[in-house]
Amino acid sequence: MPVDAAVGDPVGDPVGDPVGDPVGDPVGTVVVGVDGRPAGEAAVAWAGERAARAGTGLVLVHCVPEPQRFGRHEREAVERRAHEVLAAATRAATSGRPAVPGGSAVPGGSAVTGAFSWSSPREALLSAARHAAVLVVGAGGHGLGSTARDVADRAPCPVVLVPARSPGGPARGVVAGCDGSPGAQHAADLAAAEADLLGEELLLVRVSAVEDEVATWRPSELLRRAELLGERRRRQLEDEAERVARRHPDVEVRTRAVEAADAAGALLDAARGARVLVVGRGGHGAEDPALLGSTSEDVLRRSGVPVLVVPPPGPRAGPARAATGGRAGGPAGG
């Protein structure tokens, strides 16, 4: 991705390190989209705290599409404005960084870098995501914006969508949707690593809808078969909790099984007041497992808490653990 200017120091001289090809080891970098609007401030603050806790670098990406619309003087004005936007975002991202035991406010001297690009937000963020451990975007002021939806659908790394407004009150805990699939297991591992990083407990939630096959059951066996089905799902959920707890021994893992027709609504109810809700991205079956499923997309549209969208397990998914602190033993995902 071409980058016309990058800001390494909000008041210093621009440097030319492209966002899509950062200098040094990119694994562990937190990337956040910056648009200069109030609705995106929460995403910048979330990304700044996240990078500080994980001890990773932070890259702030600001872009303007279609440079051909502007004359030379207008382009210069746009670039000056971009520098101001990135400088303000850098201050916002670093001002609230928590102190980390054994480290400084910016652990290990990790850098905060701003970069401006003449490209569409979707293009810039997806390019930056190739080298990111986690990508953070604002969900928009009025529901799920098209850019946020596109990057959540396509990014090769986990994506956090941060709502413009928090529900208020202290946020506690990490919640993850769990259905026993390999993708959901991978999401549960990243959720546990996130809980470990935050010092929070993890709640695994399995939502079961009424089965279509129930209509074919005889009335005399309906109750018994429903009980057996529910018990089997509860055992599967407990088995998954035990697996996660073995891999992440410092995290307290709880479970909740819910029967509901509205899976997204049940997950959102369980995540009310949580610090983050974690969902897997897959949902279109074997032909296209990388795209958002209907439940995950519904969660993104309706959530009032940050949502971490985890892509299916694969070669690119592994480095994402660096952004979650990397404290749990073994590789993530199954």
Side-chain angles (χ1 to χ4, degrees):
M1 178 187 68
V3 175
D4 297 277
V7 182
D9 182 322
V11 294
D13 294 330
V15 296
D17 298 338
V19 172
D21 187 20
V23 173
D25 184 1
V27 175
T29 302
V30 177
V31 175
V32 59
V34 177
D35 61 10
R37 295 182 295 180
E41 292 176 356
V44 172
W46 198 98
E49 179 180 351
R50 182 62 154 65
R53 287 188 179 278
T56 64
L58 174 65
V59 177
L60 309 165
V61 178
H62 178 65
C63 48
V64 176
E66 301 177 12
Q68 66 273 16
R69 295 178 298 159
F70 304 97
R72 181 171 64 85
H73 294 298
E74 291 174 315
R75 282 173 59 97
E76 291 174 353
V78 169
E79 290 172 356
R80 286 194 299 271
R81 173 57 181 160
H83 191 289
E84 295 170 358
V85 168
L86 288 169
T90 300
R91 290 191 294 269
T94 56
S95 63
R97 285 188 157 207
V100 177
S104 63
V106 184
S110 55
V112 179
T113 303
F116 169 67
S117 172
W118 287 104
S119 60
S120 72
R122 180 184 184 277
E123 176 189 353
L125 293 172
L126 288 178
S127 181
R130 292 186 292 110
H131 296 288
V134 63
L135 174 63
V136 184
V137 294
H142 303 281
L144 183 63
S146 60
T147 298
R149 197 259 181 226
D150 284 347
V151 298
D153 205 26
R154 296 288 185 179
C157 66
V159 177
V160 180
L161 283 85
V162 182
R165 297 181 181 85
S166 65
R172 295 301 306 269
V174 174
V175 177
C178 179
D179 64 8
S181 67
Q185 289 182 349
H186 180 57
D189 278 314
L190 264 68
E194 185 76 13
D196 192 12
L197 180 68
L198 295 171
E200 299 283 358
E201 66 177 24
L202 172 63
L203 175 64
L204 297 180
V205 179
R206 176 156 186 169
V207 183
S208 303
V210 177
E211 298 289 328
D212 294 336
E213 63 186 277
V214 170
T216 67
W217 294 351
R218 292 193 300 271
S220 59
E221 62 183 9
L222 182 61
L223 181 59
R224 178 57 180 162
R225 293 185 66 171
E227 289 176 346
L228 291 174
L229 180 63
E231 180 59 29
R232 183 172 74 246
R233 286 173 170 166
R234 283 190 291 272
R235 285 199 305 269
Q236 291 171 344
L237 181 59
E238 293 297 331
D239 289 344
E240 174 65 357
E242 291 178 6
R243 184 193 69 82
V244 172
R246 286 194 301 269
R247 294 170 64 89
H248 307 270
D250 294 333
V251 177
E252 180 181 350
V253 183
R254 298 189 297 111
T255 63
R256 181 183 300 177
V258 181
E259 290 189 7
D262 179 8
L267 286 173
L268 292 172
D269 285 344
R272 187 174 289 117
R275 295 186 70 166
V276 64
L277 168 61
V278 182
V279 295
R281 187 168 71 190
H284 284 264
E287 292 185 0
D288 201 351
L291 298 179
L292 280 171
S294 57
T295 297
S296 296
E297 183 169 355
D298 201 11
V299 165
L300 295 180
R301 292 186 182 281
R302 297 163 57 183
S303 181
V305 302
V307 180
L308 173 60
V309 181
V310 180
R316 176 58 182 86
R321 294 186 67 254
T324 59
R327 301 196 322 195

